[in-house]
C-alpha cells in the first residue's frame, strides 16, 4: 500500500508535514483534508464566473504599487506610486493597515494560480516574494512592513507603549500571503521569507511578560495565532507553536473555552480569526481547551448571532442576541470579512469532525454571503451587506478603497475549489457542495466530474473516470434543507439513508463511466429573525430569497464607493416595503405553497398571492440582486 506515503505528501502540501510523518505510523486518522486547489477545477457556473472576474481584477493591479511602502521602509526606491484608500490616505492612516492589501493579494494570486493553473498568477506571487526578500535583506532583521512610520507601531506595541492602529492585524496578512505563496504557488523564497519574519517576531516579543502580551492583544491582531502555528508545521519548528500560543488572547479564549458566550459588544472580525487560530493550535498539539473554544464560538455565532444569510453583526460588532430587531434597519450589518473568516473556521472544524451541519452553514454563507458580495458587472466587492429594508449593495472602487473586505474579497473568489470535496487520506471522499467542478483524486486514481446547474435545478451528477477499478466510499452530503434526497448509481436507486453525520455513504468498486445521480428537492420555508418571530425571511433550499424593491435612484456606477464609512449615507430613498398579513399559519411550510408561488420560467423566483400589503411582492435569490433595492426580512402582522 502506498497510502501512508501519499498521505504524508498531501499533508505536507497542506502544511501538516510534521504531523504527516507521525501519521505514517498510525492507523488512518479520521481528520479530513480539503483537496489541494490544484486538484479541483470549476466548470461553467456562477462560481467560475466570479473566479474569472476576480482573476481580471487581480491582473489589473500593479504589484509595484502594492510594494511602494515596503521598499520605502527598507531604504529602497519605490518603483511606482502608492495606492490610495486604506493603503495611504486619510481618514484611514490612523488604523495602520498600510500593506495589508499586498498580503491579501499575495494569497489571492497564489490561490488563483493553484485554482486555474494560469502561470501569470505564479509570476505575480514569485515577483512579490522576491521583492519582499529584497526588502528583508536591505533591512537585515527579517521584518518587512509598509507602515508610514516604519516599524514604529510594532516597536511601540512590543515595548508596551501606546501604539497606532492595528499593526499585528496588518502583519498577519503579510505572513499569510507568504504562507499561501509557499503552499499554493510553490514560490521558492516564500518559506525562508516567512521564517525570517517569524524569527523577527520571536525576537521582538521574547522579552515581553505574559501580562504585557495580553495587554497588546487587547488590540485587533488578526490571525497571528493561526499563521504562527502554520509556520511551526511548515518549518518543523516547535518554538513558533509556542509563540502562536503566546498570541492567544485569554480574555476571549477562556470564557469561550468554558462555554460562555461573552461576545456582546466585541468587534466581530477581531474575534473570528482568533478562533481559527485556536482550532489550528488544537489540531497541532491536541489542547482540548483551544478546540472546545473554537467549536463553542462557531456554534454560538452561527445559531444565535447570525442573520439568514449566515452573516452577522452591526457596525462590525456583535450585539446582544435580544437586539436583532433594533439592528435590522442598519446599512452596516454583515461585514463580508466576517463571513470570509467564518467559512475558514467552518472548514477547519469540519475537517476535524465531518458533519453536514458545518457544510450546511458553509453552503448558506457561500451563496448568500460570498457569491452575493461580488458585483457581477464590475467584479468589485461589498464591505457591509445591509439588512436595511429597501437598501442596495455597495462595492469598492478598484484602486482607491482597499478595504479589509477588498482584500478578503480578492481571496474569496480565488478559492471556491477548496471546500467542495474533502478526503480522509484513505478511501473516503466527501462531496460537500453541489458546484460544477472536477476533482482529481490522485491517491485513488479517480477523477470525479460534477455536472449541475444547481441551484437553478435540483439535481447533480457525478461521473467517475478511472484508469482501473478502485474501491472507495463517496459520502454525499444530505443537506438539512432537503427532506427527500434520492441517489441512484448507474440508474439504480441507492438507499439514501444518511449516516448520523448527515452523509449518504456509497461504497463500491468504481469504474470509468460510473454515474451517481443525486436529486435534492428544494422547498420553500420561512426563517424568523432570531428572537423576533414576526419578522421572517424566505429561503428556498439553501438560497435566501429577497424581495425585489425596484431600482429607484440606483445606478451601478453610484454603487461603487471609496469610503466604506459612508455606507448608508447615499442611495437612500423612501422605498415602500410591504408587510405580510394574515394568519401566521399561512407561513407554515405546508400552507406556504398556497400563498407564495413560483414565477413560471424564472428559476428560483416567486411571488406572494394575497399575502403582501399594500401589494404582493416578488422574491428572487438575494445573491443575484446586485443592482436592485431589496429586503431580506418582512414584518408579519394581523390582517
Ligand atoms: Zn472587512
Amino acid at each position: 500500500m502506498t497510502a501512508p506515503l501519499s498521505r504524508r505528501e498531501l499533508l505536507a502540501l497542506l502544511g501538516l508535514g510534521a504531523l504527516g510523518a507521525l501519521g505514517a505510523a498510525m492507523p488512518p486518522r479520521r481528520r479530513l483534508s480539503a483537496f489541494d486547489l490544484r486538484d479541483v477545477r470549476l466548470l461553467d457556473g456562477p462560481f467560475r464566473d466570479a473566479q474569472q472576474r476576480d482573476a481580471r481584477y487581480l491582473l489589473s493591479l500593479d504589484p509595484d504599487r502594492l510594494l511602494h511602502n515596503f521598499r520605502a521602509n527598507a531604504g529602497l526606491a519605490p518603483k511606482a506610486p502608492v495606492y490610495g484608500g486604506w493603503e495611504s490616505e486619510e481618514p484611514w492612516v490612523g488604523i495602520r493597515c498600510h500593506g495589508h492589501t499586498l498580503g491579501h493579494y499575495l494569497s489571492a494570486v497564489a490561490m488563483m494560480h493553484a485554482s486555474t493553473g494560469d502561470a501569470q498568477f505564479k509570476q505575480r506571487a514569485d515577483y512579490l516574494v522576491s521583492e519582499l526578500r529584497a526588502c528583508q535583506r536591505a533591512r537585515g532583521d527579517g521584518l518587512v512592513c509598509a507602515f508610514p512610520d516604519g516599524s514604529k507601531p510594532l516597536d511601540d506595541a512590543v515595548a508596551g507603549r501606546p501604539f497606532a492602529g492595528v499593526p499585528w492585524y496588518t502583519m498577519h496578512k503579510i505572513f499569510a500571503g507568504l504562507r499561501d505563496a509557499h503552499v499554493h504557488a510553490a514560490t521558492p523564497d516564500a518559506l525562508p521569507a516567512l521564517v525570517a519574519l517569524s524569527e523577527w517576531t520571536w525576537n521582538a516579543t521574547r522579552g515581553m511578560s505574559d501580562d504585557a502580551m495580553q495587554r497588546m492583544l487587547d488590540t485587533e491582531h488578526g490571525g497571528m495565532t493561526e499563521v504562527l502555528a502554520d509556520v511551526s508545521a511548515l518549518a518543523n519548528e516547535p518554538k513558533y507553536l509556542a509563540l502562536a500560543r503566546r498570541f492567544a488572547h485569554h480574555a476571549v479564549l477562556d470564557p469561550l473555552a468554558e462555554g460562555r458566550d461573552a461576545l456582546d459588544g466585541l468587534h466581530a472580525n477581531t474575534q473570528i480569526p482568533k478562533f481559527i487560530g485556536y482550532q489550528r493550535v488544537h489540531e497541532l498539539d491536541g489542547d482540548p481547551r483551544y478546540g472546545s473554544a473554537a467549536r463553542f464560538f462557531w456554534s454560538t455565532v452561527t445559531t444565535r448571532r447570525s442573520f439568514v444569510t449566515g452573516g452577522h453583526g452591526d457596525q462590525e460588532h456583535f450585539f446582544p442576541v435580544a437586539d436583532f430587531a433594533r439592528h435590522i434597519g442598519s446599512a452596516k450589518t454583515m461585514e463580508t470579512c466576517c463571513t470570509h473568516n467564518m467559512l475558514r473556521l467552518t472548514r477547519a472544524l469540519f475537517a476535524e469532525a465531518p458533519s453536514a451541519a458545518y457544510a450546511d452553514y458553509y453552503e448558506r454563507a457561500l451563496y448568500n454571503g460570498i457569491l452575493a458580495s461580488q458585483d457581477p458587472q464590475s467584479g468589485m466587492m461589498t464591505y457591509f451587506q445591509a439588512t436595511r429594508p429597501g437598501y442596495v449593495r455597495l462595492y469598492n472602487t478598484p484602486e482607491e478603497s482597499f478595504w479589509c473586505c477588498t482584500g478578503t474579497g480578492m481571496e474569496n473568489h480565488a478559492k471556491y475549489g477548496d471546500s467542495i470535496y474533502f478526503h480522509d487520506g484513505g478511501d473516503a471522499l466527501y462531496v460537500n457542495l453541489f458546484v460544477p467542478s472536477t476533482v482529481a483524486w490522485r491517491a485513488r486514481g479517480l477523477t470525479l466530474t460534477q455536472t449541475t446547474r444547481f441551484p437553478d435545478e435540483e439535481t447533480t451528477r457525478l461521473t467517475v473516470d478511472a484508469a482501473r477499478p478502485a474501491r472507495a466510499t463517496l459520502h454525499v452530503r444530505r443537506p438539512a434543507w432537503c427532506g427527500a434526497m434520492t441517489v441512484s448509481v448507474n440508474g439504480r436507486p441507492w438507499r439514501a439513508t444518511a449516516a448520523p453525520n448527515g452523509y449518504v455513504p456509497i461504497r463500491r468498486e468504481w469504474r470509468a463511466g460510473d454515474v451517481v445521480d443525486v436529486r435534492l428537492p428544494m422547498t420553500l420555508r420561512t426563517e424568523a429573525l432570531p428572537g423576533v418571530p414576526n419578522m421572517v425571511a424566505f429561503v428556498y433550499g439553501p438560497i435566501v430569497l429577497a424581495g425585489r424593491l425596484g431600482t429607484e435612484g440606483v445606478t451601478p456606477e453610484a454603487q461603487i464607493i471609496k469610503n466604506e464609512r459612508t455606507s448608508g449615507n447615499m442611495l437612500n430613498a423612501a422605498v415602500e416595503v410591504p408587510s405580510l398579513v394574515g394568519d401566521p399559519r399561512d407561513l407554515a411550510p405546508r400552507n406556504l405553497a398556497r400563498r407564495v408561488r413560483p414565477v413560471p420560467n424564472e428559476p428560483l423566483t416567486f411571488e406572494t398571492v394575497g399575502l403582501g400589503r399594500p401589494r404582493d411582492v416578488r422574491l428572487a435569490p438575494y445573491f443575484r440582486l446586485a443592482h436592485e433595492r431589496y429586503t431580506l426580512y418582512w414584518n408579519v402582522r394581523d390582517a
Side-chain angles (χ1 to χ4, degrees), residues 269 335-337 383 404-405 408:
N269 196 45
E335 183 188 348
T336 308
C337 283
Y383 195 106
C404 50
C405 297
T408 51

Side-chain angles (χ1 to χ4, degrees), residues 131-156:
E131 285 285 297
L132 292 176
R133 273 306 256 173
C135 293
Q136 280 183 324
R137 277 194 295 272
R139 191 182 142 101
D141 62 358
L143 178 63
V144 272
C145 66
F147 303 118
D149 42 357
S151 61
K152 185 171 188 305
L154 292 164
D155 296 338
D156 287 343

Side-chain angles (χ1 to χ4, degrees), residues 297-458:
F297 176 84
W298 183 89
S299 295
T300 195
V301 172
T302 59
T303 64
R304 302 174 74 228
R305 294 182 174 277
S306 292
F307 294 100
V308 65
T309 58
H312 63 257
D314 183 16
Q315 309 245 16
E316 307 189 6
H317 286 67
F318 289 118
F319 51 78
V321 293
D323 286 356
F324 269 90
R326 278 174 36 198
H327 293 274
I328 200 78
S330 172
K332 291 186 173 177
T333 36
M334 304 194 295
E335 183 188 348
T336 308
C337 283
C338 292
T339 304
H340 163 94
N341 279 315
M342 282 303 293
L343 291 184
R344 297 190 73 247
L345 178 60
T346 302
R347 70 193 285 282
L349 294 171
F350 174 79
E352 180 178 40
S355 156
Y358 289 126
D360 285 341
Y361 174 80
Y362 199 99
E363 179 184 62
R364 176 190 291 259
L366 192 72
Y367 282 96
N368 306 300
I370 299 302
L371 195 54
S373 72
Q374 189 199 53
D375 177 1
Q377 181 169 316
S378 66
M380 298 301 102
M381 292 155 295
T382 55
Y383 195 106
F384 303 108
Q385 294 187 39
T387 52
R388 175 183 291 177
Y391 206 56
V392 290
R393 299 213 269 279
L394 301 168
Y395 309 100
N396 62 271
T397 62
E399 298 191 357
E400 297 181 306
S401 302
F402 294 110
W403 309 326
C404 50
C405 297
T406 309
T408 51
M410 291 175 186
E411 298 182 35
N412 283 331
H413 310 284
K415 66 180 180 81
Y416 283 121
D418 87 341
S419 291
I420 306 172
Y421 308 100
F422 287 78
H423 65 86
D424 73 345
D427 75 346
L429 182 144
Y430 285 71
V431 180
N432 257 10
L433 296 175
F434 310 113
V435 171
S437 55
T438 63
V439 56
W441 193 7
R442 299 183 199 284
R444 308 303 286 180
L446 295 175
T447 298
L448 251 65
T449 299
Q450 184 172 183
T451 318
T452 182
R453 290 183 56 246
F454 184 88
D456 287 326
E457 64 179 22
E458 51 191 33

Side-chain angles (χ1 to χ4, degrees), residues 246-270:
R246 292 200 80 208
F247 270 90
H249 185 213
H250 287 277
V252 174
L253 168 63
D254 294 349
L256 276 287
E258 289 153 16
R260 283 188 289 121
D261 178 339
L263 299 174
D264 282 356
L266 296 187
H267 184 256
N269 196 45
T270 296

Side-chain angles (χ1 to χ4, degrees), residues 197-207 239-240 242-243 246:
L197 188 55
S198 303
E199 194 59 20
W200 179 87
T201 306
W202 170 264
N203 287 322
T205 57
R206 191 156 57 172
K239 79 179 184 188
Y240 299 133
L243 185 56
R246 292 200 80 208

